Amino acid sequence: MASSKLRHSCSFPILLLSFLNFILFILSAASVAPIVVLKTPPTSLGWAFLMVSSISLLSCFIGFYSQLTHCCFITHISLLLASCIGQLLGILALFTKEKSSLSILKSPRDPREAKVLVRLECGVLMAMFVMQLGVLVLTCAVQSCWVRDYEGLEAEREAWSRKRNQRIAKVQEESMANATKISEMKAKELDEKIKNKYGQWVKTDFEG
């Protein structure tokens, strides 16, 4: 019930985050293709780009899992930051030093085709970087929303617990008061019985 309340209160940010996470997953998977097509097996730079794509894919999986379980927030944020840094470095390498990157990638393909693939990889990395930043911001927003709602639910539970304790204390007081009244009434009845019996004994002795 608490989980449904949390999801209902943060429904739009969660839907938007899921959409961006899905787009990021597609882009991360697509970013693998140009590197593999350029050269198989990849060079050290190619492996670096594949590592960035793998971290981004892993962050997507952790993001989907964290939305379902409301945990792994620190792990997800760490992967998002690492992926953003890797993507930014990759963009700088491919965009500012295109010729050097082509020579390091050592593609056996036609130079024009290799240049197109490198630019395609750079474009995909740029799109991934933008999506990754959006996912990062929305993840923090959703987490803060969850924390705020959890605090509200906790306050409601504490208030309900206080009311319940007050009711229990009131019932206990009433029961103790009733028990006291009953004991007093029984004591009075016992006193009256004793007085009646004592009066009868005195009367009998007097008549005798």
Side-chain angles (χ1 to χ4, degrees), residues 188-205:
K188 287 181 180 179
E189 290 178 358
L190 183 61
D191 289 341
E192 289 178 357
K193 288 180 180 179
I194 292 172
K195 286 179 181 179
N196 291 333
K197 287 184 179 181
Y198 181 75
Q200 289 178 358
W201 291 342
V202 171
K203 186 177 180 181
T204 304
D205 291 341

Side-chain angles (χ1 to χ4, degrees), residues 80-122:
L80 287 173
L81 290 174
S83 184
C84 284
I85 293 171
Q87 289 159 10
L88 183 60
L89 293 175
I91 291 168
L92 291 175
L94 294 178
F95 188 75
T96 60
K97 297 181 179 180
E98 184 178 347
K99 292 182 179 180
S100 300
S101 299
L102 279 170
S103 62
I104 296 173
L105 288 170
K106 298 177 182 179
S107 177
R109 294 184 173 273
D110 182 73
R112 291 183 179 179
E113 186 179 352
K115 187 178 288 187
V116 169
L117 289 172
V118 166
R119 290 179 179 177
L120 178 62
E121 178 70 13
C122 184

Side-chain angles (χ1 to χ4, degrees), residues 15-154:
L15 287 175
L16 185 57
L17 179 59
S18 300
F19 176 73
L20 291 181
N21 218 12
F22 180 70
I23 298 298
L24 180 61
F25 175 79
I26 294 174
L27 290 173
S28 301
S31 66
V32 175
I35 300 300
V36 174
V37 172
L38 277 169
K39 182 176 173 59
T40 305
T43 60
S44 58
L45 183 60
W47 280 114
F49 284 118
L50 290 178
M51 184 65 68
V52 171
S53 300
S54 300
I55 294 174
S56 184
L57 284 170
L58 183 59
S59 71
C60 292
F61 285 119
I62 297 295
F64 288 129
Y65 178 75
S66 65
Q67 289 178 33
L68 295 175
T69 60
H70 298 179
C71 63
C72 301
F73 173 70
I74 301 299
T75 304
H76 190 206
I77 292 296
S78 301
L79 288 172
L80 287 173
L81 290 174
S83 184
C84 284
I85 293 171
Q87 289 159 10
L88 183 60
L89 293 175
I91 291 168
L92 291 175
L94 294 178
F95 188 75
T96 60
K97 297 181 179 180
E98 184 178 347
K99 292 182 179 180
S100 300
S101 299
L102 279 170
S103 62
I104 296 173
L105 288 170
K106 298 177 182 179
S107 177
R109 294 184 173 273
D110 182 73
R112 291 183 179 179
E113 186 179 352
K115 187 178 288 187
V116 169
L117 289 172
V118 166
R119 290 179 179 177
L120 178 62
E121 178 70 13
C122 184
V124 173
L125 285 176
M126 287 180 178
M128 286 171 62
F129 181 72
V130 173
M131 286 292 169
Q132 202 93 47
L133 287 178
V135 169
L136 180 62
V137 172
L138 273 176
T139 299
C140 294
V142 169
Q143 181 68 19
S144 64
C145 180
W146 283 342
V147 169
R148 187 171 60 251
D149 287 346
Y150 270 124
E151 290 175 351
L153 288 174
E154 193 65 27

